[in-house]
Every structure is written in structure tokens, then in C-alpha cells.
Amino acid sequence: MKLDPQVYKDRSKNYFEKMSSDYSNKLGKYTELMHNALIKELEGRSYKKLLDVGCGNGTFLSMVLNKFDVEVAGIDISPGMVERSRELLDERADLKVGDSEHLPWDNRSFDIVTCIASFHHYPNPEFVLREMGRVLSPHGTLMITDPFTPNNLLRSFFNLTVKFSESGDVKIYSQKEMQELLEKCDFKLIKWETEGSKLKRFFIVVAISNV
């Protein structure tokens, strides 16, 4: 049974609306590992503008602003999460409520796009990747971190049963699937690695736009 994409989006929105007031004390403990991994990836890079897709409560954007002299923006499907981001970041970030398939920024607006623990919620991942490529500057950098399991049987079981999840999860990707998606959407994969252990394992992807 294949669900309508809007079902997944509505589930994600409702789930994170409920979670928004206490996210840092719940899933935030898991995503903290991803935040730290991407901050390391950003060190030493020359860039001026960064967009975080699925920005949540703004914790990662706050870390970026505290460490680097850059402009930042963020988008999330949950109004509650964006409100938490505004409380944390004040006027230091361009924050919007919206769908990652329709990013409300002009072409070539950002040097780097990040996506943390959000990609597995997207029912139309190709649409999202093409939008990320559109708003990136020529040969801009995309960084994605997302939950991962190297166990093929476990990943297959999750992907078969995920349609019953109320949190809006869609799919856990293998390395091969991510690489194929990126190539199809005009990105060149330049780094893949995994970190964490057991239920806190995640992958890190760094890719360059070929557009």
C-alpha cells in the first residue's frame, strides 16, 4: 500500500508540532550528534550563506552563527518548530514555515544547504533534491545527515512497516540509494561516512551541485 505524499507530510507536521515544545529533551539528544558532525564538516570552508532544510527548533543554525561569520536561513513544515527557532535566533536568521519541495528563495541564493534528520520524512525526495540544487550557487555544497542502518534486513523491515508510523517517516536509505538519488538530481557525491552506534547510527553525505 502506497500512501499519498500529503499523508506523510501531514503526519510529520502534526508529530513535530506536538514535539516542538520539548524537542531538545527528546529527539534533540539524537540530532545533537548530527549537528556536531556537520559543524566539523563546515570548518575550514569558505561560504557566506547557508540554508538548513528541516531546521527544527533552530539549534543547528544557532551553532553555525556562534562559530562562523555567515548569513543563515531555515525552513520547516512545523509552525511550532519555526516559532522555537525564532525564539532562539531572534532576527539573526531568515526563517520560514513551508514545504521542502517548494523552497521560497531565489535561484542560487546559498553556498551551502544542510538537511539534518529530515530527509527520511520526504515522500518526494527527488523534488526536494532538485529544489536544493536550484537554490544553491553553482557547484554549491549539499550536506545531509540522516538515520542509517547497515543491516539490509532491518532496513527492509523498517521500510515495509514505516507506512504505519505516525511520525511521518518515509524511508531509510542505503548508500547506493542515496548515491543514485544524488546523481539523478545533478549532484556529485564526494563523501559518505557513518557515525554513531546501534539505534543512534547515522550517515553523513557531502555532495556538490553539478549545475
Side-chain angles (χ1 to χ4, degrees), residues 26-173:
K26 294 179 180 177
L27 286 180
K29 299 296 183 181
Y30 173 43
T31 55
E32 181 179 4
L33 301 173
M34 299 182 182
H35 294 162
N36 291 334
L38 281 203
I39 289 295
K40 289 180 182 178
E41 289 293 336
L42 290 171
E43 290 176 349
R45 293 179 181 271
S46 177
Y47 67 102
K48 295 180 180 179
K49 298 185 70 174
L50 178 147
L51 169 65
D52 190 29
V53 177
C55 65
N57 64 0
T59 300
F60 176 70
L61 289 178
S62 177
M63 293 171 68
V64 171
L65 288 171
N66 290 339
K67 192 172 181 66
F68 308 107
D69 183 19
V70 295
E71 295 179 38
V72 300
I75 186 170
D76 201 280
I77 199 170
S78 161
M81 282 295 196
V82 173
E83 184 59 30
R84 300 293 85 72
S85 292
R86 290 187 174 126
E87 291 171 0
L88 178 64
L89 300 168
D90 197 22
E91 299 297 322
R92 297 186 297 159
D94 179 14
L95 300 169
K96 300 183 186 295
V97 177
D99 188 330
S100 55
E101 295 178 20
H102 307 283
L103 300 177
W105 288 280
D106 293 336
N107 296 353
R108 303 185 174 189
S109 293
F110 301 96
D111 306 302
I112 293 179
V113 171
T114 58
C115 183
I116 303 167
S118 183
F119 197 79
H120 65 287
H121 285 275
Y122 300 152
N124 298 311
E126 291 181 28
F127 295 175
V128 177
L129 286 172
R130 293 193 186 282
E131 272 293 90
M132 290 172 168
R134 180 185 65 79
V135 300
L136 272 171
S137 58
H139 308 298
T141 301
L142 171 64
M143 298 179 179
I144 300 175
T145 66
D146 218 43
F148 177 72
T149 174
N151 186 307
N152 292 333
L153 288 176
L154 185 60
R155 187 170 60 250
S156 296
F157 176 76
F158 177 88
N159 288 337
L160 281 172
T161 60
V162 73
K163 57 181 171 289
F164 301 108
S165 168
E166 291 303 314
S167 59
D169 297 329
V170 176
K171 184 174 182 177
I172 297 296
Y173 293 89

